[in-house]
Amino acid sequence: MPMLRHAILLRSCNVNYKSVASKRTHVLAASKNAVVIGGGIGVIVVAGRLAKSGLSVTLLEKNAEIGGRCQSLLLDVMKKCDNAGASGQASIHGTFRFDTGPSLLLFPEIYRKTFRDLGEKIEDHVQIKRVEPAAYRVFFEGKGHLDMLYDVQHMTHQLELVEEGSGAHYLEWLSSSRLALEVGMSALITRDFESPMDLVGLVASLIPVLPRLNVMELLGQHQGKLAERFQDPRLQAMFTFQDLYVGLSPYSAPGAFSLLAATELTDGVWYPVGGFQKVRDSLKSIVESLGVTIRTGRSVTSIMTSGEEGAVKGVTLEDGSIVEADVVISNRCISRPLHGLLHHNVFLSKSFHSSWQRAQSADQLQHCPNFYVHVPSRTDPSAAPPGCESVMVLLPVANLQEINASAADFKTTQPFHDDLSGSSDDGSHPQNACHNELPSPPVSEFYAPLVEAGRQAVLRAFSEAGLCDDDDNTSMTVSQLQADILYEVVIDPIEWQNRYGLQHGAAFGLSHGLSQLAAFRPAPKDSVVSGLYFVGASTRPGNGVPLVMIGADLTVQRVLKDLEI
């Protein structure tokens, strides 16, 4: 889905034996060269793990920064306001930070394990905080909002006010979803499938828990299964909107994806202080200390193989140079605060079913479409200057394949402009009013009308939801909200494709329908070319930083096994 990361003599003998074996292993590994293509979180983790195992590793990234979609955009702004407005601010001077990719930190234990596998503790590098007071605030068009609360008693009380009996149904659903999460993690998500016998092993491992699992609920249509528990459409929507994070809608996703809401409500939704760039930069520092060579601005054009054996020999770069390798791992894709918003917010249309049809043009966009809003300054004040907010909106739209158009017809060659200080050549700062007069990065001509329609729909939804400023409880109008925008940046499907090689501009990569889950998702090892491996959102087990980290572990295990290390 497109969008607008454990006798004394005998023990001594055993220790010495393991030490000798370990040294021999590293001697063998040191003779092996690995090239990792791309700079996503999965690739960074694989690079570090292989280097830690003794391989000589080179990471090649075509962009100026590594991290893939795990990026934070920093805007340094100094503006004098002609109109101080209700906020009373005569000027704004500071840095805004926007997470342009991941914005929810789920499964924090997976992050901790990833850092441990690299020989570090996450606490020494990144501070993570649980988002409070709720995982989300969910706005319903014309019908107020509900909060995704961690506290079970408060949550059931809130639900009972909406629908009598829904509290008990919620507890049943949460218990079932949590079990699906635990079983799914051990049996599917963290497991690789190298042969048909692995599927036999999977079935055998599931037999003991099958009596506790409702298989029909797991495999049935997600929205339909929630409708069997809750009569109110708002409650059905509240526990299914997370499907958009895996490129699906509640009408195409299996019920098993209730595990997404289950982890948010039980493990919690977290945030890395300093933004997701902090995760990226910490991992970069760690893998470089392990010996990984990172080369940015290096675009790989082909993977070289031996004609006779069909094994990888290295890669060719765009400038014609060659980097030899025994192993190649590829990441390529098969102004004033708004009161009423929490850290994570979801706005849902009253036309819930039709609103999941992704708009291909401006006239197809719903009056109030479904979208997600991220306001990190609610948890981490460093995300914006005092009295201001950084707001990221994720609006699903049709990708290039869905609009049946050739991506090549719409590619933009304009550079992405991120010089946002507003400085003139003489170093002075503009003295204009507080509204969007800073230069804007290019939006492709094809998507421009849809971007404008999306902007108006989002601002309209904000206004209709009753978002207000500091001084009173009066809802802000669309024009007031528009006037308070200091700067806006848009990443459309064409930009997603150009930056990260995402096919059709689909920001979440390969979707997660039943035919593309677990063993049916692309494997971490190429079935034809020896020495070629894959990692990232479109391989096993799936997208999102935690799953990509698990996928990195699966890929490393397969590489080291094949190299007999």
Side-chain angles (χ1 to χ4, degrees):
M1 180 186 293
M3 294 292 171
L4 253 46
R5 147 178 16 160
H6 0 188
I8 296 176
L9 179 60
L10 290 176
R11 287 184 178 175
S12 298
C13 290
N14 284 338
V15 169
N16 289 335
Y17 172 76
K18 290 180 179 178
S19 176
V20 171
S22 176
K23 290 178 180 178
R24 180 175 180 273
T25 294
H26 280 278
V27 169
L28 291 174
S31 65
K32 299 292 185 180
N33 297 318
V35 164
V36 290
I37 305 172
I41 294 299
V43 161
I44 298 173
V45 174
V46 166
R49 291 280 303 278
L50 294 180
K52 189 171 182 290
S53 296
L55 278 75
S56 176
V57 183
T58 300
L59 185 154
L60 303 171
E61 164 59 49
K62 73 166 188 171
N63 294 318
E65 290 281 353
I66 67 168
R69 283 160 276 183
C70 187
Q71 302 288 341
S72 297
L73 176 65
L74 301 180
L75 310 180
D76 292 320
V77 174
M78 179 179 287
K79 297 181 73 68
K80 181 177 180 180
C81 304
D82 293 340
N83 264 323
S87 66
Q89 287 182 261
S91 65
I92 294 173
H93 182 201
T95 300
F96 291 84
R97 186 183 67 246
F98 302 87
D99 293 311
T100 59
S103 59
L104 301 94
L105 195 156
L106 304 179
F107 302 103
E109 186 53 40
I110 294 175
Y111 284 77
R112 295 187 183 101
K113 179 182 183 300
T114 296
F115 277 77
R116 287 198 303 270
D117 289 343
L118 292 169
E120 300 285 337
K121 294 180 179 179
I122 191 171
E123 294 81 4
D124 295 335
H125 298 272
V126 184
Q127 178 190 2
I128 61 174
K129 295 175 64 176
R130 194 170 81 156
V131 172
E132 299 288 354
Y136 292 90
R137 175 157 289 172
V138 184
F139 292 84
F140 302 94
E141 183 185 2
K143 293 188 177 182
H145 69 263
L146 295 171
D147 291 340
M148 298 276 282
L149 301 170
Y150 304 124
D151 185 278
V152 173
Q153 289 186 332
H154 290 162
M155 184 67 168
T156 54
H157 175 71
Q158 176 187 227
L159 298 180
E160 285 289 340
L161 295 176
V162 176
E163 178 184 313
E164 185 177 355
S166 61
H169 292 151
Y170 169 74
L171 295 176
E172 294 171 357
W173 168 83
L174 186 62
S175 176
S176 173
S177 300
R178 183 68 202 185
L179 176 61
L181 172 62
E182 293 170 357
V183 172
M185 269 290 183
S186 61
L188 296 172
I189 297 175
T190 60
R191 187 171 188 160
D192 196 6
F193 299 89
E194 297 187 45
S195 71
M197 289 306 297
D198 289 322
L199 288 174
V200 175
L202 169 63
V203 173
S205 68
L206 289 175
I207 290 177
V209 297
L210 280 178
R212 299 164 55 204
L213 290 173
N214 186 332
V215 177
M216 294 306 297
E217 181 165 16
L218 294 176
L219 300 181
Q221 185 200 63
H222 199 186
Q223 195 279 334
K225 292 304 175 182
L226 265 293
E228 293 177 4
R229 293 185 181 273
F230 305 104
Q231 298 303 308
D232 193 297
R234 288 173 294 175
L235 303 189
Q236 299 168 16
M238 191 174 184
F239 303 120
T240 58
F241 72 79
Q242 296 87 351
D243 295 337
L244 73 87
Y245 300 142
V246 291
L248 300 173
S249 84
Y251 299 91
S252 61
F257 280 113
S258 278
L259 61 82
L260 293 172
T263 188
E264 292 171 344
L265 289 161
T266 56
D267 297 324
V269 176
W270 301 70
Y271 187 70
V273 174
F276 272 82
Q277 65 172 5
K278 188 70 173 177
V279 176
R280 175 201 67 192
D281 293 344
S282 296
L283 289 172
K284 177 184 177 183
S285 175
I286 291 169
V287 303
E288 286 183 321
S289 72
L290 291 171
V292 175
T293 298
I294 297 177
R295 298 169 64 185
T296 57
R298 302 294 195 277
S299 180
V300 174
T301 57
S302 64
I303 298 174
M304 302 183 301
T305 61
S306 62
E308 297 179 358
E309 301 175 1
V312 298
K313 294 168 46 181
V315 298
T316 303
L317 304 185
E318 194 171 40
D319 62 6
S321 60
I322 292 173
V323 181
E324 296 183 347
D326 303 287
V327 172
V328 173
I329 300 94
S330 176
N331 192 202
R332 295 298 298 272
C333 181
I334 13 186
S335 78
R336 47 190 171 190
L338 290 176
H339 289 265
L341 294 176
L342 298 184
H343 187 131
H344 297 293
N345 310 268
V346 173
F347 286 74
L348 298 176
S349 172
K350 62 184 178 183
S351 304
F352 189 64
H353 191 174
S354 59
S355 64
W356 282 101
Q357 301 298 316
R358 297 192 283 269
Q360 300 182 19
S361 58
D363 60 350
Q364 292 183 8
L365 193 69
Q366 295 279 327
H367 174 82
C368 179
N370 300 329
F371 61 94
Y372 159 75
V373 179
H374 180 233
V375 191
S377 45
R378 288 289 185 267
T379 301
D380 179 7
S382 70
C388 301
E389 304 280 17
S390 66
V391 179
M392 187 273 284
V393 176
L394 202 61
L395 177 66
V397 298
N399 61 36
L400 296 170
Q401 183 183 47
E402 290 170 321
I403 58 179
N404 195 26
S406 171
D409 292 340
F410 307 117
K411 283 183 179 178
T412 175
T413 58
Q414 294 177 273
F416 185 76
H417 183 21
D418 57 2
D419 179 12
L420 307 171
S421 63
S423 300
S424 58
D425 292 339
D426 62 2
S428 63
H429 295 280
Q431 305 296 308
N432 50 321
C434 289
H435 52 82
N436 186 14
E437 293 187 2
L438 291 174
S440 177
V443 173
S444 61
E445 182 179 350
F446 181 81
Y447 276 101
L450 187 52
V451 167
E452 176 57 31
R455 178 188 300 108
Q456 294 303 311
V458 167
L459 295 178
R460 185 168 56 246
F462 283 178
S463 179
E464 293 177 357
L467 302 189
C468 59
D469 61 26
D470 281 322
D471 290 343
D472 55 46
N473 291 321
T474 303
S475 299
M476 299 177 69
T477 65
V478 170
S479 59
Q480 288 174 323
L481 289 163
Q482 179 75 46
D484 268 5
I485 298 175
L486 287 172
Y487 186 76
E488 176 189 88
V489 59
V490 177
I491 305 177
D492 64 18
I494 293 171
E495 185 66 23
W496 284 118
Q497 178 175 259
N498 289 343
R499 285 194 192 187
Y500 307 119
L502 299 173
Q503 191 171 20
H504 311 305
F508 292 137
L510 200 63
S511 69
H512 293 68
L514 287 174
S515 63
Q516 295 179 157
L517 286 179
F520 304 108
R521 200 165 183 83
K525 179 181 179 180
D526 191 85
S527 60
V528 176
V529 180
S530 175
L532 178 59
Y533 302 84
F534 304 99
V535 68
S538 291
T539 58
R540 297 174 191 161
N543 74 18
V545 176
L547 266 63
V548 167
M549 287 177 166
I550 292 173
D553 184 49
L554 297 177
T555 300
V556 168
Q557 290 182 44
R558 189 77 75 95
V559 171
L560 297 182
K561 177 182 177 181
D562 290 350
L563 293 177
E564 298 183 352
I565 293 175

